[in-house]
Amino acid sequence: MDHFLYKNGQLMAEDVAIADIAAAVGTPFYVYSAATLTRHYRLFSEALDPLPHTVCFAIKSLSNLAVLKLLGDLGAGMDVVSGGEYMRAKAAGVPGERIVFSGVGKTRDEMRLALTGGVRQFNVESEPELLALSEVATALGAVAPITLRVNPDVDAKTHEKIATGKKENKFGIPISKARAVYAQAASLPGLQVVGIDVHIGSQLTDLAPFEAAFVKIAELTEQLRADGHTISRLDLGGGLGIPYTRSNEAPPLPLDYGALVKRTLGHLGCEIEIEPGRLISGNSGLLVSEVIYVKEGEDRTFLIVDAAMNDLVRPSMYGAHHDIVPVIEAAAGAPPQDYDVVGPVCETGDTFAKARALPPIGAGELLAFRSAGAYGAVMASEYNTRPLVPEVLVQGDHFAVIRARPTFEDILKRESIPAWL
Ligand SMILES: *Cc1c(COP(=O)(O)O)cnc(C)c1O
């Protein structure tokens, strides 16, 4: 459920008309709903009650400071995968003890940053990383709380680019080697084992792969405890999928996911950490764009819009589907027409939708790409020297620009021409 609904023929973000934001900010822009973000965070948190738990929002899905502040103030922890994301979490006021540091390639600088600023735990993904972290922590006279990310070798049955839990993926330590690597971790100075981490992929629309992974984690917990390790936290990663179309079958709800966690892991007495990204942010955001031209091709009609693949890369990168809706509601009974919705970038890949049935659309009209809150603005680039899209946050009847559109001057001044040219 989200808070982007029509009222009196106008698409709203909560109580603000999208068209009013467009008039104030210009297009394209991302808009997020605070009520939707809040609701999704709470759904997860409540689904895990009464287990002790921390919901660590995966910042990589949507990393704007205002969003992090909103979620942090609700009590969310943060899952970060880079020094930059760590700095964002801190800048949004999230204390170090609520920040987990994930990622397969943490650098020593990133480790130092988090150890100095405070961190809940590092989710360590390899033996070389274990050695590096031990060295860095020892040199700082610190103790790094760690879990090992284990790769349970389960098929997440999702898009191959975002499946992470098979043994051929680069992520984690093979579960078959886990006991040996835990023994090594326990023997190294500067490290304190606190639990186990697993994350098998993104946009999962079935609970079965989670169940397969959690059952393996329960077994591993018992084994590691028998080996003498303290396993007091289980970090279960993120990955629960969202509906990208309103017609397809609904993915499992956080409530079902919570019930599964309790059933498979609840008896272990561990604190549960989860790292949802997409499920919190995905349906909390829209990308709004204006139609520049309606171009009649030989056998199709193109809607050329002012957003492009650099603003929302998911369709060209993953073949992803986003529902597209007019901001001014179509007249009832208006006969739909098939359009190819494309951006202005000079690549055929800059296509948002092919033969998409939409009500009749004219130049100058506004379109909203739904489910664009996750992996949208964060993956935007300035390809074609198109300024990064601004971001807007709505709460109730007010809105604020939470990232401004850079001017061309802003873009150009980051570059310099050497004196010898
Ligand atoms: C990407 C990622 C997440 C979030 O995944 P979603 O599918 O957005 O929920 C959580 N944890 C880790 C380690 C990740 O890499």
Side-chain angles (χ1 to χ4, degrees):
M1 207 209 99
D2 61 51
H3 291 75
F4 302 109
L5 301 170
Y6 288 102
K7 200 162 103 190
N8 302 327
Q10 288 254 8
L11 186 65
M12 310 290 288
E14 302 190 22
D15 300 326
V16 179
I18 300 279
D20 290 347
I21 304 175
V25 176
T27 54
F29 64 90
Y30 279 95
V31 56
Y32 311 119
S33 152
T36 313
L37 288 160
T38 301
R39 177 185 146 82
H40 291 164
Y41 166 76
R42 291 216 169 110
L43 282 178
F44 263 119
S45 188
E46 287 163 16
L48 292 173
D49 280 335
L51 297 179
H53 64 267
T54 307
V55 176
C56 295
F57 176 59
I59 291 189
K60 76 170 193 271
S61 72
L62 172 55
S63 62
N64 189 287
L65 283 180
V67 170
L68 304 187
K69 172 82 165 67
L70 173 87
L71 293 170
D73 285 355
L74 294 171
M78 300 287 153
D79 172 50
V80 306
V81 293
S82 70
E85 286 191 354
Y86 177 85
M87 293 305 285
R88 282 183 179 278
K90 290 303 284 280
V94 179
E97 64 262 28
R98 276 199 260 138
I99 304 176
V100 302
F101 207 127
S102 298
V104 71
K106 300 174 201 79
T107 65
R108 286 160 198 259
D109 281 345
E110 289 174 324
M111 292 170 178
R112 271 188 284 273
L113 184 69
L115 280 171
T116 322
V119 65
R120 180 174 181 79
Q121 83 213 19
F122 292 92
N123 295 329
V124 175
E125 299 218 18
S126 66
E127 290 146 286
E129 184 191 337
L130 206 54
L131 293 170
L133 184 57
S134 169
E135 277 172 26
V136 171
T138 312
L140 288 173
V143 175
I146 63 156
T147 70
L148 293 184
R149 175 170 176 180
V150 298
N151 184 326
D153 193 25
V154 301
D155 184 354
K157 298 201 169 57
T158 182
H159 192 286
E160 59 171 304
K161 287 187 186 168
I162 49 176
T164 59
K166 284 288 283 173
K167 61 173 181 260
E168 60 267 31
N169 301 135
K170 69 183 176 185
F171 299 99
I173 288 157
I175 195 157
S176 55
K177 282 177 71 181
R179 286 173 77 186
V181 183
Y182 269 92
Q184 186 187 8
S187 74
L188 288 170
L191 303 180
Q192 185 199 0
V193 171
V194 296
I196 308 174
D197 171 49
V198 67
H199 170 74
I200 57 174
S202 198
Q203 186 53 16
L204 274 69
T205 51
D206 182 0
L207 286 180
F210 285 117
E211 173 151 18
F214 296 170
V215 166
K216 290 187 179 192
I217 295 304
E219 278 170 25
L220 183 62
T221 302
E222 313 264 20
Q223 276 175 354
L224 293 175
R225 284 178 171 169
D227 291 346
H229 302 288
T230 301
I231 303 297
S232 59
R233 291 180 197 167
L234 298 177
D235 182 336
L236 306 178
L240 198 56
I242 61 168
Y244 275 97
T245 64
R246 281 185 280 179
S247 44
N248 77 352
E249 78 280 28
L253 301 171
L255 201 63
D256 306 323
Y257 174 90
L260 173 67
V261 170
K262 287 179 231 177
R263 180 157 55 78
T264 50
L265 301 164
H267 59 289
L268 294 166
C270 288
E271 174 169 3
I272 301 296
E273 298 165 347
I274 56 169
E275 303 168 348
R278 190 189 310 265
L279 201 136
I280 292 181
S281 52
N283 282 322
S284 302
L286 306 177
L287 172 64
V288 180
S289 180
E290 184 178 309
V291 177
I292 311 172
Y293 298 114
V294 180
K295 176 173 169 177
E296 297 295 343
E298 231 170 287
D299 60 352
R300 57 190 65 220
T301 306
F302 296 99
L303 292 182
I304 304 176
V305 300
D306 66 359
M309 61 187 289
N310 69 297
D311 306 314
L312 176 65
V313 78
R314 297 188 68 261
S316 57
M317 185 155 166
Y318 308 116
H321 172 101
H322 287 268
D323 275 354
I324 302 172
V325 297
V327 166
I328 305 300
E329 198 172 20
Q337 201 183 318
D338 280 354
Y339 293 104
D340 282 13
V341 183
V342 303
V345 163
C346 315
E347 295 202 17
T348 301
D350 186 23
T351 297
F352 290 113
K354 283 198 165 141
R356 181 71 63 88
L358 294 171
I361 304 281
E365 285 187 47
L366 297 172
L367 296 177
F369 295 76
R370 295 177 56 86
S371 312
Y375 308 105
V378 287
M379 291 177 99
S381 76
E382 287 178 341
Y383 186 38
N384 279 207
T385 308
R386 294 167 46 85
L388 282 182
V389 213
E391 295 173 282
V392 172
L393 183 67
V394 170
Q395 186 162 46
D397 61 1
H398 51 278
F399 71 90
V401 174
I402 56 174
R403 184 176 76 190
R405 191 190 313 276
T407 62
F408 294 129
E409 217 172 33
D410 292 335
I411 295 177
L412 296 184
K413 78 177 179 222
R414 293 199 307 257
E415 298 173 27
S416 51
I417 298 172
W420 38 263
L421 268 187

